[in-house]
Amino acid sequence: AIVVNTDVQGTITYVNSKFCEISGYSQMELLGSNHRMLHSGAHDKAFFKAMYREIAQGRNWHGEICNRRKDGSLYWVDTTIVPHLNQRGKVDSYTAIRFDISERKQLEDALRSSKEHLDQIANLDPLTRLPNRRRFQDHLEALVLEHVSGGRSLHFGLMDVDSFKEINDSFGH
């Protein structure tokens, strides 16, 4: 596990060796630095605002964060942030416990890309990149369902071009 302690302003007060290993920074570079040095730009301000709001109120936060290593490369961590309360009940520090999930995120991206590619193969003509017969049929079925459930009528015209195969064979697809 990657472990880091910060004060309420985000200044790093403790890091374990795994944090140094993953981030590429030395312990001396991290201690006293602000945690924002790791921001990757992958998350918007609203993401961090919601996270800070949660932990500032003394509640644990859990989520996935994309950070930037010293060399500029990105890595993903499954993060739990635990606020520490002082005797007056105010948050005075945080402990973040993280696990590197970069490999899982890469596999998820590859799977998503593969799924998108398969969807394109199944629904687009490889030559023209236009919707194919399967995509047309799905669209037509959705239109019919939409009109029937709405109590409306649908008119559909079908045009048959004689000798279309000869046109394709003569002039190309």
Side-chain angles (χ1 to χ4, degrees):
I2 302 162
V3 180
V4 60
N5 290 344
T6 64
D7 65 14
V8 289
Q9 285 79 33
T11 303
I12 298 170
T13 57
Y14 168 81
V15 294
N16 69 350
S17 59
K18 187 72 172 172
F19 187 81
C20 296
E21 177 188 325
I22 296 291
S23 70
Y25 290 98
S26 71
Q27 187 176 29
M28 295 305 293
E29 290 174 300
L30 291 166
L31 293 177
S33 298
N34 191 287
H35 219 275
R36 285 189 282 271
M37 69 190 282
L38 301 170
H39 284 205
S40 64
H43 308 285
D44 60 11
K45 287 182 182 182
F47 173 86
F48 286 109
K49 191 174 184 178
M51 179 188 74
Y52 291 134
R53 186 179 326 116
E54 198 69 19
I55 61 177
Q57 293 175 359
R59 294 192 291 265
N60 292 352
W61 181 87
H62 182 262
E64 296 176 354
I65 299 177
C66 182
N67 283 334
R68 184 174 304 281
R69 288 185 180 88
K70 184 177 181 178
D71 68 7
S73 62
L74 302 180
Y75 66 101
W76 282 88
V77 284
D78 184 348
T79 303
T80 300
I81 301 175
V82 180
H84 299 279
L85 304 177
N86 61 22
Q87 292 176 342
R88 295 181 312 223
K90 299 284 184 186
V91 176
D92 64 2
S93 64
Y94 304 102
T95 298
I97 303 154
R98 299 182 165 126
F99 296 94
D100 184 6
I101 57 168
S102 300
E103 189 174 322
R104 187 190 87 200
K105 293 300 257 185
Q106 290 171 346
L107 289 171
E108 287 173 357
D109 287 345
L111 183 60
R112 191 172 10 267
S113 294
S114 177
K115 188 174 186 276
E116 288 169 3
H117 179 68
L118 288 174
D119 187 52
Q120 286 180 354
I121 291 172
N123 292 299
L124 298 178
D125 178 77
L127 183 65
T128 63
R129 310 296 293 157
L130 294 171
N132 63 13
R133 185 182 305 172
R134 179 175 181 230
R135 177 77 130 324
F136 173 73
Q137 184 173 345
D138 289 345
H139 181 68
L140 184 61
E141 287 173 4
L143 280 175
V144 168
L145 185 62
E146 177 185 325
H147 281 76
V148 167
S149 65
R152 298 178 302 178
S153 61
L154 175 70
H155 302 277
F156 176 72
L158 180 64
M159 183 171 67
D160 185 18
V161 178
D162 289 333
S163 304
F164 193 74
K165 183 181 180 331
E166 285 78 23
I167 296 170
N168 268 347
D169 291 344
S170 300
F171 299 107
H173 293 277

